[in-house]
Amino acid sequence: MDFGLVLQTDPPASEVVDLMCRAERNGFTHGWTFDSAVLWQEPFVIHSRILDRTERLTVGTMVTNPGTRTWEVTASTFATLNSMYGNRTICGIGRGDSAMRVAGRPPDTLARLGEAIPVIRDLAEGREAEVGGVPLRLPWVTDGRLPVWMAAYGPKALALAGERADGFILQLADLFLTEWMVKAVRDAAEKAGRDPAAVTVCVAAPAYVTADDSPEALAHAREQCRWFGGMVGNHVADLVRRYGEHSALVPDELTAYIRQRQGYDYSHHGRAGNPDTAFVPDDIVDRFCLIGTPRAQLAKLAALRDLGVDQFAVYNMHDAKEAVIDAYGEHIIPALR
């Protein structure tokens, strides 16, 4: 199992770069950042510095979208980084929850996302692709490689990930839902004539390592990670609007907890202490995140690995960023590498 670190690009950018360097020293193989132009600093500028300061780390977006940048610009940006640093990037992409909504636009449709995935990949790898009816090619690309991984929750999005993406990003660590969603992606890949095992599976969720299992330690860890249930709840609310509260296409284990959800202020997006996440119960924090001692987290990570998860990416937005990176480097990564 590989391990990634996920950060927001809050200023100062030097702190983001330092944390990524610390992650590489502790055995992490991937470094990911959010991409929401209004809320945070420009990720690709920071990616360039991360790649310059590291030797092996693969860097990517979790996630960009097909709406805030034109597709040839996204492809050219990744291809430039790959040309400079040796094919060490991944394009994580989704519909654009925060990036589009904060800018006053709805997230992109799955149809548009499905069109963008092969175009961005082809252009970044030096092949011709059509953008807006115009055939384009980046003539300076040689030996380029850009895997495109798609974030998904709902049945149509999961099918699209299986049909077109090189990897599937699942932003929660619930064992039941992971099994259900990985199966949906791999079934779709097989139906599309692809090798299901060739679709890389990345589970991304907050992790908070505690020294013991005392109620006080676990309560603090839950409060530091409760924001995640609110972030996932945005996507779940979209699914409920589309499929209904009780649908055979979407399991109740995913949708039931948002019934008390009142709304969401993106100014607190992805941050510990988010006041819009009070509706998230403790059991959802425990199911969606990794909370507790290294031993407890190893057990859950081993179960995720057995479900077909290739990478666990740690959302590291809480009051113990360095401590969690170091704990994973000392206790967890060596045991599962």
Side-chain angles (χ1 to χ4, degrees), residues 36 60-61 80 92 107 115 149 153 198 215 217 234 274:
S36 192
T61 47
T80 300
E115 292 172 6
W149 295 7
Y153 290 106
N234 295 328
N274 186 336

Side-chain angles (χ1 to χ4, degrees), residues 11 13-14 55 100 105 119 123 134 158 166 225 233 259-260 276 290 305:
S14 58
E55 296 179 359
M100 295 293 281
R105 303 189 294 274
V119 168
L123 289 174
V134 178
L158 294 168
D166 301 298
C225 298
R259 289 170 188 156
Q260 304 303 315
D276 295 322
L290 272 80
R305 180 194 57 194

